[in-house]
């Protein structure tokens, strides 16, 4: 039987094999472009623009940095890239990921390892750093849920936990055109790489 096509041509011209990704086929411009067009919450958010995974990633890195101001820059980069595989596999809400099963997680893990290696990070982030990034991710999800996705505070507290009120007060949700978010994501990536 003929093997099904498992690669995608990227705008950079790279041909990314989704089942066996290599760091050489990953470009930040492709990631930033893809994430700027992938809507969080399946697009079910208020506003004139979708709330993109790129915007979410910038927010998570911001929160992670505020919560961990003395952490090495490489882990800030890991926070920025925490959802990077979604530039090719899309964003699925948690209930759908659970229904799809372990295949999605395996694909995500392979892509993440290649992305990390491409940008000088270890293929596996230490568990303690993963937990800190997840904490920032949950705070971001709480903010998004309450501010733009129509959740009540009680619902957000139930699903994502009560966030630190000091962080909630100082960060904001932004809805912007994909080109603005793409450029900011690429710029932030370069800033972090320059300091590693």
């Amino acid at each position: 039987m003929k093997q099904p096509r498992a690669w995608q041509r990227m705008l950079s011209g790279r041909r990314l094999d989704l089942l066996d990704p290599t760091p050489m086929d990953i470009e930040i411009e492709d990631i930033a472009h893809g994430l700027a067009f992938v809507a969080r919450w399946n697009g079910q958010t208020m506003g004139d623009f979708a709330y993109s995974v790129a915007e979410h990633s910038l927010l998570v890195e911001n929160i992670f940095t505020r919560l961990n101001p003395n952490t090495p820059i490489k882990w800030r980069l890991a926070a920025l890239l925490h959802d990077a595989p979604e530039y090719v596999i899309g964003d699925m809400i948690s209930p759908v990921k659970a229904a799809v099963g372990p295949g999605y997680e395996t694909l995500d893990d392979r892509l993440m390892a290649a992305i990390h290696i491409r940008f000088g990070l270890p293929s596996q982030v230490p568990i303690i750093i993963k937990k800190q990034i997840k904490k920032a991710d949950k705070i971001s999800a709480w903010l998004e849920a309450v501010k733009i996705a129509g959740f009540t505070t009680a619902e957000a507290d139930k699903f994502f936990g009560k966030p630190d009120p000091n962080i909630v007060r100082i960060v904001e949700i932004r809805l912007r055109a994909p080109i603005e978010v793409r450029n900011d994501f690429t710029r932030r990536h370069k800033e972090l790489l320059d300091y590693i």
Side-chain angles (χ1 to χ4, degrees):
M1 278 180 65
K2 186 179 176 185
Q3 193 74 356
R5 178 173 72 92
W7 57 266
Q8 178 174 346
R9 181 171 304 283
M10 311 312 290
L11 287 177
S12 65
R14 299 284 189 189
R15 198 161 130 164
L16 181 65
D17 184 332
L18 301 176
L19 301 179
D20 188 22
T22 65
M24 290 176 31
D25 291 323
I26 293 166
E27 299 292 343
I28 194 59
E29 293 80 9
D30 292 333
I31 293 172
H33 183 82
L35 294 182
F37 284 95
V38 174
R40 295 255 307 155
W41 305 94
N42 284 340
Q44 299 302 305
T45 54
M46 298 172 222
D48 293 331
F49 294 105
Y51 186 74
S52 72
V53 174
E55 193 76 74
H56 163 77
S57 298
L58 288 162
L59 181 60
V60 169
E61 190 265 327
N62 181 341
I63 294 169
F64 174 82
T65 299
R66 288 175 186 277
L67 293 172
N68 307 282
N70 299 319
T71 200
I73 300 289
K74 68 181 178 180
W75 303 134
R76 295 177 190 183
L77 179 60
L80 180 69
L81 297 171
H82 80 283
D83 279 340
E86 294 178 10
Y87 85 109
V88 287
I89 60 175
D91 182 34
M92 286 190 216
I93 59 173
S94 297
V96 175
K97 285 180 187 174
V100 169
Y104 178 88
E105 190 174 338
T106 300
L107 190 60
D108 186 83
D109 289 345
R110 281 187 198 144
L111 283 162
M112 186 62 85
I115 290 164
H116 279 180
I117 292 167
R118 170 66 174 90
F119 300 115
L121 296 170
S123 62
Q124 296 292 318
V125 172
I127 295 294
I128 187 141
I129 300 300
K130 261 187 154 172
K131 286 181 178 178
Q132 291 167 340
I133 293 170
K134 190 64 183 169
K135 181 178 180 179
D137 193 28
K138 283 190 166 197
I139 293 170
S140 176
W142 187 95
L143 284 162
E144 294 163 22
V146 170
K147 304 281 185 187
I148 59 171
F151 284 56
T152 66
T153 300
E155 287 172 325
D157 288 350
K158 178 182 172 187
F159 293 117
F160 309 110
K162 290 184 180 186
D164 179 339
N166 295 318
I167 295 292
V168 169
R169 274 194 295 277
I170 58 177
V171 295
E172 64 182 70
I173 299 292
R174 297 167 63 180
L175 296 162
R176 302 182 289 158
I179 190 168
E180 291 178 46
V181 183
R182 179 185 69 201
N183 292 342
D184 280 356
F185 187 95
T186 306
R187 178 192 49 76
R188 185 61 180 151
H189 178 266
K190 182 182 183 319
E191 287 172 357
L192 292 169
L193 272 186
D194 286 348
Y195 286 105
I196 292 179

